[in-house]
Amino acid sequence: MRTFAKTIARFLDEQRTALTTGTPSDRAYHYLLAAVVLLGVVLRARGQVLWAEPLWLDEARVARELLGRPLTDNLLRPLGFLAITKALALTLGASERVLRTLPWLAGMAVPLFAPALARRLFTGRAARLLFVSIIALHPAAIDLSRELKPYRSQ
């Protein structure tokens, strides 16, 4: 969790510095990068915060097996994912939002970590911005972060 907080703090520091002391092209790049990250977060948040869709049939089956069986009987999915989801469901109640919390949190982390990963992978600003845009705004990644399946958190 500390790494996550440090990464976010470093990203915000870089954005703040570039927006106040950078050249016009630096500011434009950082405004675009921040807008893409913010849009990625908003698109993921709207499915969890604003409304909760009913569980799909396969999600309902996973939830039933998760809550009705011991964790050791559900070996087709990662044990950590199952344990955390079951603990959340037993603590906060087994609603759609609670069951989808872990995949949603993992999906929310993706656009926030994308700039740090892009900085390590690419040297050019255009490549970084394209990478962050694809990672943050891809419709499949947004949809999968709202489902009770361990797609994003494996």
Side-chain angles (χ1 to χ4, degrees), residues 6-7 10-11 14-15 29-30 33 112-124 128 131-132:
K6 285 181 182 178
T7 302
R10 188 176 337 124
F11 173 71
E14 289 173 1
Q15 297 299 318
Y29 166 74
H30 287 284
L33 189 63
L112 298 174
F113 276 115
L117 183 59
R119 194 172 31 256
R120 287 185 176 205
L121 294 175
F122 305 105
T123 56
R128 288 180 185 173
F131 176 81
V132 171

Side-chain angles (χ1 to χ4, degrees), residues 116-154:
L117 183 59
R119 194 172 31 256
R120 287 185 176 205
L121 294 175
F122 305 105
T123 56
R125 287 185 176 174
R128 288 180 185 173
L129 187 60
L130 179 64
F131 176 81
V132 171
S133 298
I134 291 171
I135 295 294
L137 304 177
H138 195 281
I142 292 168
D143 288 341
L144 293 178
S145 69
R146 295 185 302 212
E147 293 188 9
L148 176 61
K149 296 275 193 119
Y151 297 120
R152 184 65 53 202
S153 56
Q154 285 183 359

Side-chain angles (χ1 to χ4, degrees), residues 69-139:
R69 294 183 180 175
L71 289 178
T72 55
D73 289 350
N74 293 310
L75 296 179
L76 294 176
R77 289 165 193 85
L79 189 59
F81 172 80
L82 294 174
I84 294 170
T85 303
K86 187 169 188 171
L88 286 170
L90 293 175
T91 305
L92 303 173
S95 69
E96 288 90 354
R97 283 190 176 145
V98 171
L99 289 169
R100 290 176 174 153
T101 296
L102 185 59
W104 178 69
L105 289 174
M108 290 291 282
V110 169
L112 298 174
F113 276 115
L117 183 59
R119 194 172 31 256
R120 287 185 176 205
L121 294 175
F122 305 105
T123 56
R125 287 185 176 174
R128 288 180 185 173
L129 187 60
L130 179 64
F131 176 81
V132 171
S133 298
I134 291 171
I135 295 294
L137 304 177
H138 195 281

Side-chain angles (χ1 to χ4, degrees), residues 44-58:
R44 284 166 173 81
R46 69 184 171 98
Q48 181 77 359
V49 176
L50 297 180
W51 67 86
E53 297 176 5
L55 294 174
W56 293 86
L57 185 59
D58 59 338

Side-chain angles (χ1 to χ4, degrees), residues 18-19 23-34 125 129:
L19 294 176
T23 65
S25 66
D26 285 342
R27 287 195 297 267
Y29 166 74
H30 287 284
Y31 274 125
L32 279 171
L33 189 63
R125 287 185 176 174
L129 187 60

